[in-house]
Amino acid sequence: MGNYRNTRHHKGPRELVTGGEWIYGRNPVEEALAAGRRTASEIVLPPAFPDEDDQIRRIRDEAHSRRLVVRTMERDQLDKLTRFGHHQGVALKTTGYPYIGFDELVQSASDDENALVLILDHLEDPQNVGSILRTACAVGATGVVIPEDRACGITPAAVRASAGGAEHIRVAHVVNLPRAMEELKEAGLWFTGLDWGEDAKTYTKIDFRGKVGLVVGAEGKGISRLVREKCDFIAELPMPGGFESLNAGVAAAVAMYEIVRQRG
């Protein structure tokens, strides 16, 4: 249990948003505190009650043990603070997302005979990005690579969509995706892109054993030409229902669990 006497309590709408960002939602906040990769400074929680929810109690205890500033806030104020995200009455002020260096990710992939690296080719929807990070965390992926421009970064909305999984998976920012793929190939990875075309095979026909890179294209646009040219294989998901569009997060999850199945 934390030392309540050393915790400062504040009540009111005053916002101290000078640098850093607000993560919101019960699971994202709990996972951010558990992962310990960010430096937190303050937290917004509902008023304390003797019979409060177990998860809120765990978060409150952790906040006290870390001596965070604890605040209560009216719902409309918290709505504005989190840009009307689904906050569940909880928000945590932290430093920005802790991206890792790309060289570190390459080294990890080189050392792991079952490496799995996700390449997100200019995805712009934080819901898709968060969904992919959540699954990548669940299957134990080595890491994720995203471009620095024209793409959704690991924003609070993406963290929320990942249910906090983003706090545990390693993500690297790169300037040039094709060049990053070349470096990962030198580390032993074979890349499969999720796309359609005459060169595509059904995803279950791809050999996903060994070191694997999985490329997920942007919503509506698919994989860009230069990134596609770096793929060793193209995999498609059958759609016998005739509906020719599948959410990027869902498609990535199906492919990741095929990788798990083959390795199992």
Side-chain angles (χ1 to χ4, degrees):
M1 295 289 290
N3 188 338
Y4 282 67
R5 291 174 298 176
N6 290 323
T7 303
R8 293 171 291 160
H9 292 263
H10 295 263
K11 185 172 183 178
R14 187 166 66 94
E15 299 176 15
L16 301 179
V17 190
T18 54
E21 60 191 26
W22 286 92
I23 300 172
Y24 54 86
R26 294 184 180 190
N27 285 341
V29 167
E30 185 172 30
E31 294 304 328
L33 291 171
R37 295 169 63 192
R38 307 198 199 208
T39 299
S41 58
E42 56 186 299
I43 191 169
V44 178
L45 290 171
F49 292 102
D51 60 345
E52 70 182 355
D53 177 271
D54 288 344
Q55 186 176 33
I56 293 293
R57 182 178 293 109
R58 290 196 304 270
I59 295 171
R60 192 183 304 279
D61 288 347
E62 184 64 22
H64 286 312
S65 71
R66 292 176 182 239
R67 301 183 181 183
L68 303 182
V69 174
V70 179
R71 302 177 181 278
T72 58
M73 193 174 289
E74 296 296 330
R75 182 183 180 88
D76 61 339
Q77 297 165 345
L78 188 52
D79 286 343
K80 292 178 181 178
L81 186 69
T82 61
R83 298 183 180 182
F84 297 91
H86 185 46
H87 51 71
Q88 300 171 298
V90 178
L92 179 70
K93 175 70 178 300
T94 74
T95 50
Y97 187 77
Y99 295 98
I100 67 167
F102 180 65
D103 289 345
E104 181 182 342
L105 181 56
V106 172
Q107 186 61 55
S108 295
S110 179
D111 295 341
D112 184 358
E113 62 182 12
N114 288 311
L116 169 58
V117 176
L118 279 292
I119 303 289
L120 306 190
D121 187 4
H122 294 92
L123 272 70
E124 298 178 347
D125 184 350
Q127 297 299 314
N128 276 329
V129 172
S131 174
I132 291 170
L133 295 180
R134 183 177 187 175
T135 307
C137 182
V139 302
T142 308
V144 179
V145 179
I146 65 175
E148 291 186 356
D149 64 336
R150 296 180 291 110
C152 176
I154 314 306
T155 63
V159 174
R160 180 70 181 87
S162 77
E167 297 301 306
H168 298 280
I169 192 74
R170 296 185 298 172
V171 182
H173 252 156
V174 298
V175 174
N176 188 299
L177 284 180
R179 187 178 304 148
M181 291 171 68
E182 282 292 342
E183 291 190 42
L184 286 165
K185 283 188 174 188
E186 292 175 5
L189 274 71
W190 292 78
F191 280 92
T192 296
L194 296 179
D195 209 350
W196 293 269
E198 294 181 359
D199 56 343
K201 298 181 180 179
T202 301
Y203 76 105
T204 54
K205 302 298 183 183
I206 304 291
D207 186 351
F208 286 119
R209 292 170 294 179
K211 299 184 179 185
V212 171
L214 184 67
V215 181
V216 184
E219 304 89 349
K221 301 175 183 177
I223 300 174
S224 59
R225 179 180 61 83
L226 293 177
V227 169
R228 200 179 198 279
E229 289 175 356
K230 296 297 181 183
C231 292
D232 301 290
F233 310 102
I234 298 298
E236 63 180 2
L237 276 63
M239 298 186 188
F243 190 65
E244 298 182 357
S245 178
L246 195 62
N247 177 281
V250 173
V254 171
M256 278 188 267
Y257 273 96
E258 174 62 16
I259 295 170
V260 170
R261 185 191 70 80
Q262 290 190 20
R263 292 175 173 182

